[in-house]
Amino acid sequence: MADKAFITPIVLKWARESARMSVETAAAKVNVPAIRLVEWESGRSQPTIKQAQTLAKAYKRPFAIFFLPDIPRDFQPLQDFRRSDSKPLSTGSVFIIREIQQKHAWISETNRENGETKFPFVGRFSIKYNPADVAQDILNTLNISPGKYLGVNAIKEWIDKAEAKGIFISRTSFINAYLTLDSEELQGFAIADHYAPFVFINSDDWNAPQLFTLVHELAHLWIAETGISADIEPTIQKLDKLHPIELFCIEVAANALMPSYLFQNLGGDIYKSASQVFNVAKTFGVSSFAVLVRGLNLGIISFDQYRSLKNAADAEFKAFLIKEAEKKAKQKESVGGPSYYLLQIQKNSRLFTQTVLDAFRGGNLEPTQASSLLNVKINHFHNLEAQLYK
C-alpha cells in the first residue's frame, strides 16, 4: 500500500483554487474521481505521497507547502485594469503572473541589498500630465526615434533598449506544452518597482499589437501604476468601460509610437488607400487599425473615411495574416521551431537571465535557486548562455 501524505486539507484546497483550477480538472491530473479530491480537501481521506507531489506540480507550488499548518501568505494580486466584462483570469494567466512575481521579488530584493540606485523614470509622471509629454520622455529615456521601422524588427529594438535601461521584459504565450495564454484575456502587465521594473507581454498575437502592449506597459512604469491590462490598442468604442489609467496609457503609447508631429507632417495623403495605410503602419511598427484611429483622433480623416478604410484594411490584414502563417509554416518545415532555450530567455527576460547567470557564476546564488528562477536545469545553463551571446 502506498504511503499516505498527511497534508493540511485547507492548504490543498487553497492551492487548487489559487491556480484557478476546477475540482474536475485537478482530479484528472491524478486520475481519480472528483469526489476523491473533495475528500482530500475536506480531510476525510488523504492522497498518496505521489498523488500529492503530482498536484503540487500541477498547481505550481512546492510540495512542502501542503504540510504547513495553515494557508501561507501569497503574492498580492496585481490590480486589474481590464474592463469589468473581461474574461476571468484562467490558470495560465495566474501562473505567468505568479512566475513573474517570483522573479521580480528576487531581483528587487537583490538590488536593494546591493544598494543599487532607484530607477528615476519609475513614477516620474502621473495621469495628471499630458500623455504626449510622458511619451516623449519614454522616447528620450530609451533613445528611440519612431516611424523608422520599415524592414526593421520594431519590437526587438524597443525590448533591447528598454532592457539596456534596466527594465526586465518577459515575453511569452505559453506556460508549458499543454497550457497557453489567451491574448483576449491578458495582453500584458507591469510591476512598477523603483528597483526592479518588470513588464510582461503576451506574445499570443502578431508583432504590432505586442509592440503597442509593450509601450503601454512602459507607460504604467512611468506613472508607477502596477497592474494587468487587456484591450490595449487604440479604440473608438467602449471607452466608457476602460479604466482611466488604461485610457491614459493607451494615449501615451499612441503618442510614443505615432507622434502627432510626424502624422501632421505626413498629412492626409497616407489615407488615400488601405494599402497606403498598411505601408505607413509597417513604418511605425503598428497595425493599420492603430494608424486609422490615430488619424481620426488627430482630425486628419473623417469618421466616414475611417469606416471605409477600416473595412478595406480588415480585408487586407486577413490576407496578410494568411501569407504570414504560410511563411512561418515553411520556415518551421525547413529549420524547425525556435530553440527551447531561446524561448526560455524570452520568457525569463534576457536581462533577467543574464543577471541570474552572473550571480550563479559569481557564487552569489545557490544552484537550486538559479535553476528555479530560470526554469532550466543547471547542467543546461550552457545552452542558455549560447543563445544569449548569439
Side-chain angles (χ1 to χ4, degrees):
M1 186 176 177
D3 290 336
K4 295 291 184 181
F6 291 94
I7 47 86
T8 305
I10 58 171
V11 175
L12 185 69
K13 184 176 181 181
W14 162 83
R16 175 181 61 76
E17 291 179 341
S18 65
R20 305 289 173 93
M21 203 174 288
S22 69
V23 171
E24 291 76 18
T25 299
K29 301 284 185 185
V30 285
N31 198 27
V32 300
I35 188 65
R36 185 68 53 79
L37 182 59
V38 172
E39 289 176 358
W40 298 343
E41 291 182 350
S42 62
R44 295 198 298 274
S45 65
Q46 295 81 34
T48 65
I49 291 175
K50 185 177 180 180
Q51 287 169 329
Q53 288 173 332
T54 301
L55 287 175
K57 187 177 180 181
Y59 301 156
K60 290 195 175 290
R61 297 288 185 181
F63 176 53
I65 209 171
F66 289 161
F67 300 91
L68 294 175
D70 207 342
I71 294 171
R73 289 183 63 186
D74 202 5
F75 290 109
Q76 290 297 312
L78 301 184
Q79 184 165 351
D80 195 342
F81 290 120
R82 301 176 308 151
R83 295 199 326 256
S84 57
D85 59 351
S86 295
K87 287 183 180 180
L89 295 178
S90 61
T91 300
S93 295
V94 169
F95 281 175
I96 195 64
I97 291 170
R98 192 194 302 163
E99 183 176 331
I100 298 302
Q101 285 180 311
Q102 288 170 338
K103 297 180 194 305
H104 162 259
W106 175 78
I107 193 65
S108 180
E109 183 179 354
T110 298
N111 285 345
R112 288 171 190 266
E113 289 178 351
N114 291 342
E116 298 290 343
T117 306
K118 289 183 178 181
F119 289 98
F121 52 79
V122 177
R124 183 177 283 165
F125 296 91
S126 73
I127 62 170
K128 294 179 181 178
Y129 283 79
N130 185 330
D133 294 337
V134 181
Q136 191 59 53
D137 194 73
I138 292 174
L139 294 172
N140 293 344
T141 301
L142 302 188
N143 190 27
I144 285 177
S145 300
K148 299 178 180 178
Y149 295 123
L150 196 59
V152 176
N153 189 334
I155 192 166
K156 184 180 185 303
E157 183 193 11
W158 275 84
I159 290 174
D160 289 348
K161 290 195 171 181
E163 293 212 314
K165 292 296 181 180
I167 303 168
F168 300 93
I169 311 291
S170 167
R171 182 184 177 210
T172 191
S173 62
F174 75 98
I175 304 300
N176 53 47
Y178 309 100
L179 192 59
T180 57
L181 301 176
D182 182 355
S183 59
E184 291 186 9
E185 178 184 308
L186 172 72
Q187 283 180 274
F189 59 84
I191 301 178
D193 184 334
H194 286 280
Y195 291 93
F198 242 104
V199 164
F200 171 77
I201 309 159
N202 185 350
S203 60
D204 178 35
D205 215 331
W206 65 299
N207 279 355
Q210 286 184 54
L211 177 58
F212 206 96
T213 297
L214 169 58
V215 184
H216 174 102
E217 299 306 333
L218 291 175
H220 274 268
L221 300 183
W222 256 250
I223 60 172
E225 290 288 353
T226 295
I228 306 165
S229 303
D231 297 302
I232 286 172
E233 273 211 298
T235 182
I236 60 170
Q237 298 172 327
K238 299 181 179 177
L239 294 180
D240 57 320
K241 292 186 178 180
L242 289 177
H243 193 287
I245 296 292
E246 290 297 87
L247 284 171
F248 184 84
C249 290
I250 287 171
E251 281 296 308
V252 172
N255 276 279
L257 290 167
M258 301 170 284
S260 59
Y261 62 87
L262 288 181
F263 266 58
Q264 298 290 1
N265 289 343
L266 290 170
D269 286 346
I270 65 173
Y271 294 100
K272 282 184 175 179
S273 69
S275 296
Q276 207 147 340
V277 170
F278 184 67
N279 290 332
V280 170
K282 286 195 292 184
T283 302
F284 283 87
V286 298
S287 68
S288 294
F289 180 59
V291 171
L292 290 173
V293 173
R294 189 67 171 146
L296 181 64
N297 290 340
L298 292 173
I300 299 172
I301 58 171
S302 67
F303 183 75
D304 286 341
Q305 285 176 292
Y306 161 83
R307 186 167 52 190
S308 174
L309 285 167
K310 183 179 182 304
N311 291 336
D314 284 344
E316 192 155 316
F317 179 60
K318 286 176 184 176
F320 165 76
L321 288 181
I322 292 171
K323 286 181 182 177
E324 286 295 297
E326 290 172 350
K327 190 192 302 180
K328 286 181 180 179
K330 287 179 181 177
Q331 288 174 344
K332 193 170 183 180
E333 285 175 9
S334 60
V335 299
S339 157
Y340 168 81
Y341 299 101
L342 176 59
L343 293 175
Q344 286 298 329
I345 288 171
Q346 291 174 347
K347 183 180 178 186
N348 290 328
S349 143
R350 186 171 289 271
L351 175 61
F352 184 83
T353 301
Q354 185 68 73
T355 304
V356 172
L357 288 174
D358 287 347
F360 169 69
R361 299 298 186 201
N364 299 315
L365 186 61
E366 291 293 325
T368 51
Q369 189 178 6
S371 177
S372 175
L373 286 169
L374 295 178
N375 250 342
V376 172
K377 292 179 180 178
I378 301 164
N379 58 349
H380 290 166
F381 277 6
H382 66 281
N383 291 317
L384 282 179
E385 290 172 318
Q387 289 292 330
L388 271 175
Y389 302 131
K390 273 190 175 181

